[in-house]
Amino acid sequence: MDFIRQVFSIRFEYKVFFTAHLFDGSNDAFRSFIREGKEPGVVRKILFVLDNGFLQHHDGLVQQIKNYFKDEKGIRVIEEMVIVPGGEATKNSAEHLEKILEAVNEHGIDRHSFLVAIGGGSVLDVAGYAAAVAHRGLRHIRVPTTVLSQNDSGVGVKNGINYFNKKNFLGTFTPPVAVFNDSHFLTTLSDAEWRSGISEAVKVALIKDAAFFTWLEANAKRMVDRDMTTMQYQIRRCAELHLQHIAGADPFETGSSRPLDFGHWSAHKLEQLSDFTIRHGEAVAIGIALDTVYSFLSGRLKEEPMMRVLRLLKALGFPLTDRLLEVTDEKSPLLLGLNEFREHLGGRLTIMLLRGIGEGEEVHEVEPALVKEASEWIRKHSLVKA
Amino acid sequence: MDFIRQVFSIRFEYKVFFTAHLFDGSNDAFRSFIREGKEPGVVRKILFVLDNGFLQHHDGLVQQIKNYFKDEKGIRVIEEMVIVPGGEATKNSAEHLEKILEAVNEHGIDRHSFLVAIGGGSVLDVAGYAAAVAHRGLRHIRVPTTVLSQNDSGVGVKNGINYFNKKNFLGTFTPPVAVFNDSHFLTTLSDAEWRSGISEAVKVALIKDAAFFTWLEANAKRMVDRDMTTMQYQIRRCAELHLQHIAGADPFETGSSRPLDFGHWSAHKLEQLSDFTIRHGEAVAIGIALDTVYSFLSGRLKEEPMMRVLRLLKALGFPLTDRLLEVTDEKSPLLLGLNEFREHLGGRLTIMLLRGIGEGEEVHEVEPALVKEASEWIRKHSLVKA
């Protein structure tokens, strides 16, 4: 049959900057990024979307941003910034997406303008989605303000909102044009928020980098004690491994393999069961513990590395299981979560397990009886949350 | 400042097939495409979205599709097909988008399932948008059923819906996984529908391929007389030039240059002014005439090639102007359209004009007085619609 073959490649490039005091007048990084490659006579507009939860602790930020740009002739900051709630709530309806799109329309934000999102992962997700679909794509800059978004989701290429009560039912793979990680923004996090993003570092170390895992073991206490230099190294290395994985494999996830989802199948279910009162990072720690013990019980992983994983998670202050994941029969929510994960991925079930520290193995079958056993094993070994 | 540079490329590849009687049992092309690369044990689901305007003339199609797949064990056609209105109406609200998304949710269509859209450009646009954002992207197949969609928009990478009363305010650049052009589907088009897509061939010939323009001149009568072989050549060559342009330049339009929008700035305005009663293809013919005469009046184009363009458009049966584009003062809608086009593109105004047949020239300034003169020139030279 007659056909024309269409082939082309799109090159994506962006930098993840590590800085502090991003909108301090003396820090030129953000301004100079906006100026870059500007055509003469064109005024670049910037629409800011801000996380209300974050703003509570940084109430001078709006004014600081306006001052930061006040002498820039070629840059126009839209006075009226869009403020949305932080956390999963902002993704749970189309309301906040709609609010951002309205501002894009009202202020004439076009494909050469910037939409800058400052906040936690959920705010970046909804703002990133708005930026991806308005005018078929605005220039989107991410400024993640939590450990979890600075070391993981915020530096990646996904966005989305929940719809029909399904997590990330709507979304796209759309790389930002830049990411700015500001360590100063982390100083106002609660201890639980501060800690919760570290589980993604444990995850990526376990499947990609044994040396980083050893580093995490050695530095767990310093991180828990809120040593900023240590935390910054963790964030930078985790972000780097995350970015390397995206660039190296299948950035827009056309296949079934998702190694970065190690520990995530049960984590997603747990977040949903808890009505998102359990943080993503905490749920991931529990998911890592479960799949690590499953790896041991299924004969893939030795006892010693398993114990190292569980000890590290405990040292970081994570509970290792939750009563919501208790398996009583085959209709237990945890086991149903396995099927939902398959549906979410599409195609063949593909789950990452461990053969050793820094060495993953993808499997296409998971034994429900062994999942139950893993869940009970963790409980029995007195690693249970009080 | 410390940073990590993220760089990766995504390779997109799809075939545009030219066939007839796509869902005839003896035509295996579509089925074998769906079978390709299927993992063992996985059932591939297909959700069909159909253009109601098209279905009126092909009322056996739904049953034919079901029969076509009935012996395929690994393929499951969702019984309940989604039927949406044809034409711009289907893009003018989120209602039909929502209907498609609901079906995706209800039938568990995942990232490895197919969403197949059969219809004119508007239906492909809304279905393509749904496919691009549901689960961050389903496998999308386009089956364009009009000349305009088979030779132009339907083979390309854009989708979208109108929002806030703005054309394509929401949308993405997302290549389909395949396009099937079925010539048999064209036989039921009205004469006006049949003809209207040819203006995109005139456009692409003018900016890319003088030989194709000469071919169009020689074959105008045969196309108007509905000779299918001639029309098929036109569609194939136009699609080819369109695809070559996309692959060669800036597929996702990150810059300001849009050569394929030659003649389109006024066409968009005219469609809107006429409340979409003027077809896109007809508006494009009028837009081509205007920018061709502007090219002549601004000293870029000689009189003889200008007259060839106008004669070809007339021979194809297109009116060359419309009273809605009359310029009386600087607030006339046509002149406002210029600014809206700039806003739509974002950044610097960039308009394609002509230096000769097959030779375009991009300009960043358009003189309103000369636009007025061009509009009057066409009117005076008795080329006006009766």
Side-chain angles (χ1 to χ4, degrees):
Chain A
M1 179 174 298
D2 184 31
F3 64 82
I4 302 171
R5 185 193 303 268
Q6 173 74 329
V7 186
F8 59 86
S9 289
I10 305 280
R11 186 173 183 274
F12 294 98
E13 176 172 353
Y14 62 96
K15 289 178 187 165
V16 178
F17 295 93
F18 296 87
T19 186
H21 304 282
L22 187 57
F23 297 108
D24 188 290
S26 66
N27 186 340
D28 200 47
F30 197 94
R31 272 189 307 240
S32 68
F33 178 80
I34 302 283
R35 277 188 225 116
E36 225 170 70
K38 199 169 78 62
E39 289 158 328
V42 172
V43 172
R44 292 199 160 162
K45 293 183 192 171
I46 313 179
L47 177 68
F48 281 87
V49 177
L50 305 171
D51 182 326
N52 196 38
F54 171 74
L55 263 193
Q56 305 298 313
H57 301 286
H58 297 263
D59 56 5
L61 186 69
V62 169
Q63 194 51 52
Q64 196 189 18
I65 291 172
K66 289 179 185 173
N67 292 344
Y68 182 78
F69 286 106
K70 71 175 189 312
D71 296 328
E72 290 287 320
K73 298 291 170 236
I75 299 174
R76 186 152 82 76
V77 172
I78 303 301
E79 283 280 311
E80 205 180 313
M81 301 188 181
V82 183
I83 297 170
V84 296
E88 201 72 19
T90 204
K91 293 176 62 177
N92 266 336
S93 77
E95 178 192 343
H96 306 289
L97 172 71
E98 189 73 17
K99 193 173 160 185
I100 300 169
L101 293 174
E102 275 167 13
V104 167
N105 181 43
E106 188 183 333
H107 301 296
I109 303 301
D110 62 35
R111 288 173 51 74
H112 294 244
S113 304
F114 293 87
L115 189 150
V116 180
I118 305 180
S122 296
V123 171
L124 302 184
D125 274 356
V126 65
Y129 182 50
V133 298
H135 297 300
R136 299 199 182 104
L138 313 173
R139 296 181 181 179
H140 178 45
I141 296 176
R142 290 192 182 146
V143 183
T145 59
T146 60
V147 173
L148 182 63
S149 52
Q150 289 196 0
N151 73 358
D152 188 84
S153 64
V155 303
V157 299
K158 299 193 210 179
N159 59 56
I161 63 167
N162 308 331
Y163 211 66
F164 302 129
N165 278 315
K166 295 200 176 150
K167 199 165 160 82
N168 299 321
F169 184 88
L170 297 179
T172 69
F173 293 88
T174 307
V177 297
V179 180
F180 290 87
N181 274 348
D182 183 334
S183 62
H184 176 68
F185 287 159
L186 306 177
T187 56
T188 55
L189 294 173
S190 71
D191 283 347
E193 285 168 323
W194 169 273
R195 185 179 57 225
S196 72
I198 308 175
S199 57
E200 296 287 0
V202 175
K203 171 202 76 180
V204 79
L206 280 173
I207 58 172
K208 298 268 178 191
D209 185 350
F212 185 41
F213 186 85
T214 305
W215 183 92
L216 289 167
E217 290 178 312
N219 290 279
K221 188 169 183 314
R222 263 186 288 271
M223 285 191 285
V224 169
D225 292 344
R226 299 194 71 141
D227 180 74
M228 183 58 93
T229 310
T230 309
M231 198 60 158
Q232 276 178 280
Y233 178 83
Q234 177 271 110
I235 288 172
R236 199 191 186 291
R237 182 63 187 147
C238 183
E240 196 166 44
L241 289 166
H242 190 87
L243 288 164
Q244 278 169 8
H245 175 78
I246 291 173
D250 177 17
F252 290 0
E253 298 179 4
T254 55
S256 295
S257 168
R258 301 227 196 143
L260 293 180
D261 273 354
F262 172 60
H264 278 55
W265 72 267
S266 54
H268 286 163
K269 189 67 193 173
L270 180 57
E271 281 179 87
Q272 185 206 336
L273 289 170
S274 76
D275 209 11
F276 298 97
T277 57
I278 296 180
R279 284 168 214 286
H280 180 69
E282 290 160 356
V284 166
I286 289 169
I288 290 172
L290 183 72
D291 286 356
T292 299
V293 174
Y294 184 98
S295 299
F296 165 68
L297 293 175
S298 63
R300 286 177 178 85
L301 185 69
K302 298 218 171 80
E303 187 172 0
E304 188 263 334
M306 171 186 72
M307 291 310 297
R308 282 176 67 191
V309 177
L310 300 178
R311 277 196 301 267
L312 174 58
L313 293 172
K314 280 197 86 178
L316 291 168
F318 291 112
L320 298 192
T321 187
D322 189 282
R323 299 209 175 275
L324 289 168
L325 291 192
E326 207 163 340
V327 179
T328 52
D329 58 41
E330 62 191 18
K331 291 264 172 70
S332 291
L334 178 60
L335 297 180
L336 297 179
L338 201 56
N339 201 42
E340 285 166 21
F341 189 71
R342 183 200 341 252
E343 275 185 10
H344 174 69
L345 291 184
R348 206 169 163 198
L349 178 69
T350 307
I351 294 274
M352 178 61 86
L353 293 175
L354 292 184
R355 294 205 74 88
I357 303 289
E359 192 194 345
E361 180 191 1
E362 288 198 327
V363 304
H364 300 288
E365 300 285 341
V366 174
E367 289 175 56
L370 219 52
V371 170
K372 183 175 192 293
E373 203 180 322
S375 168
E376 284 162 1
W377 192 98
I378 298 175
R379 198 172 301 275
K380 256 186 268 167
H381 285 68
S382 309
L383 295 158
V384 185
K385 185 176 164 184
Chain B
M1 177 173 301
D2 183 32
F3 64 83
I4 302 171
R5 186 193 301 270
Q6 173 74 328
V7 186
F8 59 86
S9 289
I10 304 282
R11 187 173 183 274
F12 294 97
E13 176 172 354
Y14 61 96
K15 288 178 187 163
V16 178
F17 294 93
F18 296 88
T19 185
H21 303 283
L22 187 57
F23 297 106
D24 189 291
S26 65
N27 186 340
D28 200 47
F30 197 93
R31 272 188 308 238
S32 68
F33 177 80
I34 302 284
R35 275 187 226 117
E36 226 169 71
K38 198 170 78 63
E39 289 159 328
V42 172
V43 171
R44 291 201 159 161
K45 292 182 193 173
I46 312 178
L47 177 68
F48 281 87
V49 177
L50 306 171
D51 181 327
N52 196 36
F54 170 74
L55 263 194
Q56 304 299 314
H57 301 287
H58 297 263
D59 55 6
L61 187 69
V62 169
Q63 195 49 52
Q64 196 190 17
I65 291 172
K66 290 179 183 171
N67 292 343
Y68 182 78
F69 286 104
K70 73 175 188 312
D71 296 328
E72 290 287 321
K73 298 289 169 239
I75 299 173
R76 186 151 82 77
V77 172
I78 303 301
E79 283 280 310
E80 206 179 313
M81 301 188 181
V82 183
I83 296 171
V84 297
E88 202 71 19
T90 203
K91 294 176 61 178
N92 266 335
S93 77
E95 177 191 343
H96 305 290
L97 172 70
E98 189 73 18
K99 193 172 160 185
I100 299 169
L101 293 173
E102 276 166 13
V104 166
N105 181 43
E106 187 182 335
H107 301 295
I109 302 301
D110 62 33
R111 287 172 54 74
H112 293 244
S113 304
F114 293 86
L115 188 150
V116 180
I118 306 180
S122 297
V123 170
L124 303 185
D125 274 356
V126 65
Y129 183 49
V133 297
H135 297 299
R136 299 198 182 106
L138 313 173
R139 296 182 180 177
H140 179 44
I141 296 177
R142 290 192 182 146
V143 183
T145 59
T146 62
V147 173
L148 183 63
S149 52
Q150 289 197 358
N151 73 358
D152 189 84
S153 63
V155 303
V157 299
K158 299 193 210 177
N159 59 56
I161 64 166
N162 308 332
Y163 211 66
F164 303 129
N165 277 316
K166 293 196 178 154
K167 199 164 160 81
N168 298 322
F169 184 88
L170 297 178
T172 70
F173 292 88
T174 307
V177 297
V179 180
F180 289 87
N181 275 347
D182 182 334
S183 62
H184 176 69
F185 287 158
L186 305 177
T187 57
T188 54
L189 295 174
S190 72
D191 283 347
E193 284 168 323
W194 169 274
R195 186 178 57 224
S196 72
I198 308 175
S199 57
E200 297 286 0
V202 175
K203 172 202 76 180
V204 80
L206 280 173
I207 58 172
K208 298 268 177 193
D209 185 350
F212 185 41
F213 186 85
T214 305
W215 182 93
L216 289 167
E217 290 179 312
N219 290 278
K221 187 168 184 313
R222 263 186 289 271
M223 286 191 282
V224 170
D225 292 346
R226 301 193 71 141
D227 179 74
M228 183 59 92
T229 310
T230 309
M231 199 61 156
Q232 276 178 280
Y233 178 83
Q234 177 272 110
I235 288 172
R236 199 189 187 292
R237 182 64 186 147
C238 182
E240 195 166 44
L241 288 166
H242 190 87
L243 289 164
Q244 279 169 8
H245 175 77
I246 292 173
D250 178 18
F252 291 178
E253 298 178 4
T254 56
S256 295
S257 170
R258 300 226 197 144
L260 292 181
D261 273 355
F262 172 60
H264 277 55
W265 71 267
S266 55
H268 287 164
K269 189 66 194 172
L270 181 56
E271 282 178 89
Q272 184 206 337
L273 289 171
S274 76
D275 210 11
F276 297 97
T277 58
I278 296 178
R279 286 168 211 287
H280 180 69
E282 289 161 355
V284 166
I286 288 169
I288 290 172
L290 182 72
D291 286 356
T292 299
V293 174
Y294 184 98
S295 299
F296 165 67
L297 293 175
S298 63
R300 284 174 179 87
L301 185 69
K302 297 220 171 81
E303 185 171 1
E304 189 263 333
M306 170 186 72
M307 291 310 297
R308 282 177 67 191
V309 177
L310 301 178
R311 275 196 302 266
L312 173 57
L313 293 172
K314 282 198 83 177
L316 291 168
F318 291 112
L320 299 192
T321 188
D322 190 284
R323 297 205 178 278
L324 290 168
L325 292 191
E326 206 162 341
V327 180
T328 54
D329 58 41
E330 62 192 18
K331 293 263 172 72
S332 290
L334 177 60
L335 297 180
L336 298 179
L338 202 56
N339 201 42
E340 285 167 20
F341 189 71
R342 181 197 345 251
E343 276 184 11
H344 174 68
L345 291 186
R348 206 169 163 199
L349 178 68
T350 307
I351 294 274
M352 178 61 86
L353 292 175
L354 291 184
R355 294 205 73 87
I357 304 290
E359 190 194 346
E361 180 191 1
E362 288 196 328
V363 303
H364 300 289
E365 299 286 341
V366 174
E367 289 174 56
L370 219 51
V371 170
K372 183 174 192 293
E373 204 180 320
S375 166
E376 284 162 1
W377 192 98
I378 298 175
R379 201 171 298 277
K380 256 188 268 166
H381 284 69
S382 310
L383 295 161
V384 187
K385 184 175 164 186

